[in-house]
Amino acid sequence: MIIKRRLNLQKAYHACLGAVLAVDSTVTLAQKMDNEMETEIKQAVAIFDQATARRDIETLKSVLHPDYRVTANRFRGTPGTTLITRETYLEMMKDGKIGGTKYEEEFRQISVTGHTAMVDVMLREIGVPAMHKYLFLVQNEKDDWQIISDLPIVIK
């Protein structure tokens, strides 16, 4: 009876240990997936910033979602809110009205829910804060991250 009870306790112990290890490996796998997604998101934002600095329209077309919008609220002292479509944004870029400035990125927060992400990023020009942005990204059918919404706040 004692031996049988001891065997049952050992089985229960091993079952609990197995369950703990399974949960631990699931958490580790989830963390790995989050880290990989975060890296992919940072890369998409870096590609966007570099293409904007070079006014590289073709690269911008690949990283901007077809429904991309800029929401500029009181941008550079203007009253009200201005919405800029992807087409207008690319045209302004082509005409040299926007872009052309290289920034260093300081990622403050990245929040991912499923196939959607929010990025809080500070852009610095030669170490001086120049623009704070909230970017919203979505994964397309190929699981590539694309920027769908851009809310810039000019600091300087």
Side-chain angles (χ1 to χ4, degrees):
M1 182 77 150
I2 292 177
I3 294 174
K4 194 173 192 180
R5 193 169 181 202
R6 197 175 273 169
L7 284 174
N8 286 338
L9 284 175
Q10 284 179 341
K11 284 181 185 177
Y13 170 77
H14 289 290
C16 287
L17 183 60
V20 168
L21 291 175
V23 168
D24 186 48
S25 66
T26 302
V27 170
T28 303
L29 180 61
Q31 288 170 339
K32 182 178 178 185
M33 287 177 60
D34 286 348
N35 289 339
E36 287 176 13
M37 280 186 150
E38 191 171 301
T39 298
E40 291 171 2
I41 291 163
K42 285 181 178 180
Q43 287 173 345
V45 172
I47 289 167
F48 170 65
D49 287 339
Q50 292 164 10
T52 300
R54 294 187 317 270
R55 294 188 174 118
D56 180 347
I57 305 301
E58 290 309 309
T59 300
L60 284 169
K61 285 179 181 178
S62 72
V63 76
L64 297 179
H65 188 275
D67 294 320
Y68 171 80
R69 297 285 184 273
V70 175
T71 304
N73 186 34
R74 297 185 180 189
F75 195 75
R76 298 186 189 266
T78 61
T81 303
T82 304
L83 296 176
I84 302 169
T85 64
R86 179 179 189 257
E87 292 75 24
T88 302
Y89 180 85
L90 293 173
E91 194 63 36
M92 290 172 71
M93 186 71 60
K94 183 179 170 186
D95 293 343
K97 294 178 181 177
I98 58 174
T101 305
K102 185 176 178 165
Y103 296 106
E104 298 170 1
E105 301 141 352
E106 176 193 328
F107 290 92
R108 293 186 161 189
Q109 181 181 0
I110 297 175
S111 179
V112 181
T113 305
H115 302 287
T116 305
M118 189 278 300
V119 177
D120 178 354
V121 62
M122 177 67 70
L123 301 177
R124 299 180 185 280
E125 188 177 3
I126 312 170
V128 178
M131 193 177 312
H132 191 160
K133 283 191 171 208
Y134 295 98
L135 299 171
F136 296 88
L137 293 86
V138 293
Q139 279 184 311
N140 63 18
E141 309 79 42
K142 298 176 185 175
D143 286 337
D144 295 327
W145 287 100
Q146 291 185 307
I147 299 169
I148 194 164
S149 182
D150 181 346
L151 188 111
I153 304 161
V154 175
I155 295 174
K156 62 178 184 172

